[in-house]
Amino acid sequence: MVELLNIFAYCFRNFYLLAFYLHGRAILAWQASPDYKGVCHIALAQEGHCRPGEVLLGTDSHTCTAGAFGQFTTGIGITDAGFVLGTGKLLLKVPPTLRFAMDGEMADYLLAKDLILQIKSKMCAIKLRTLWLLLKFF
């Protein structure tokens, strides 16, 4: 029970810090949206916020899934997110790009994810590091 109370205290601390931040910027009337749409990487796509040619920065580990809409997406840390919120800017290193042109049809039981995982496994087998590479699939 004590551990549960500590968790609630920590959550309330985050709520307090957010309220303090908003109050300092004269944002006095705010509340959690009653129209909550779910986790961001799903809700952004469902609500039409993922558009080709735009940049999306997010702290969710699945932020990069928006790349399926032709958008440049990358995950960033909390410190970077705070900097973006405060300045509207972020220094990004543009990675080298590998372009993959797909031809033919896949079996019905396969998904695009299967294809990507197969390609990644081949890249790892030849020790091609993908940490700082942008992979584009056509």
Side-chain angles (χ1 to χ4, degrees), residues 30-61:
W30 64 276
Q31 64 181 12
S33 172
D35 298 323
Y36 176 70
K37 303 293 183 190
V39 292
C40 63
H41 62 276
I42 300 296
L44 287 171
Q46 289 176 338
E47 296 298 311
H49 299 293
C50 296
R51 294 180 286 273
E54 292 189 357
V55 175
L56 174 67
L57 306 172
T59 58
D60 185 271
S61 62

Side-chain angles (χ1 to χ4, degrees), residues 44-98:
L44 287 171
Q46 289 176 338
E47 296 298 311
H49 299 293
C50 296
R51 294 180 286 273
E54 292 189 357
V55 175
L56 174 67
L57 306 172
T59 58
D60 185 271
S61 62
H62 295 93
T63 298
C64 296
T65 59
F69 299 98
Q71 188 171 40
F72 175 78
T73 62
T74 188
I76 58 174
I78 296 299
T79 304
D80 290 334
F83 186 79
V84 169
L85 289 172
T87 66
K89 300 176 183 178
L90 184 65
L91 179 63
L92 293 172
K93 178 181 177 182
V94 178
T97 303
L98 285 180

